[in-house]
Amino acid sequence: MVTVVIADRLGKGQNVAKGVEAAGGKAVVVPGMGADMRLGDVMQQENADLGISFCGSGGAGALTAATKYGYPERHGMRSIDEGVTAIQEGKTVLGFGFMDQEELGKRLVEAYLKKNGQ
């Protein structure tokens, strides 16, 4: 099962989590304000396959996770298709502007499963 950590600067992410679960994944939503800055730490704790960070710029949490733990990341994304492409290119930490959408979680898990032959 694909484990996805969702960390939103404003403590949201529940809609993305619904999409992750609809695609057969396990969603872990990091609670509280500034959650994006704890993305890498929670990914380590959960032994997660993917991490999704949301903030205004779409970069802070993803860059922090990459710097601290070496996860391959892409940040500054504003569309679901950008996220799918990043997964196809081997990125495991994805930084978006605020996009708490069920479709995002679903399509990212589907892309991960397809890439990894599951």
Side-chain angles (χ1 to χ4, degrees):
M1 177 179 289
V2 180
T3 300
V4 181
V5 174
I6 302 159
D8 186 289
R9 173 67 53 116
L10 301 176
K12 297 181 182 180
Q14 292 77 14
N15 291 324
V16 174
K18 289 177 190 173
V20 166
E21 291 167 354
K26 173 187 172 190
V28 178
V29 178
V30 182
M33 297 295 284
D36 60 319
M37 299 309 289
R38 298 188 304 275
L39 176 64
D41 297 336
V42 177
M43 286 180 71
Q44 286 287 300
Q45 292 167 6
E46 297 288 334
N47 195 25
D49 301 293
L50 289 173
I52 306 171
S53 170
F54 296 103
C55 68
S57 67
L63 288 169
T64 301
T67 301
K68 189 170 182 180
Y69 295 105
Y71 291 114
E73 66 85 27
R74 175 155 308 144
H75 63 278
M77 293 184 285
R78 302 279 186 235
S79 75
I80 295 170
D81 289 336
E82 284 180 289
V84 169
T85 299
I87 288 173
Q88 291 167 344
E89 294 174 354
K91 309 302 184 201
T92 57
V93 172
L94 310 172
F96 291 93
F98 294 115
M99 289 179 56
D100 189 14
Q101 301 171 9
E102 191 170 333
E103 182 185 357
L104 176 64
K106 184 174 187 295
R107 289 201 37 215
L108 293 180
V109 169
E110 290 169 349
Y112 182 87
L113 292 172
K114 183 176 179 183
K115 178 178 178 12
N116 293 288
Q118 297 178 18

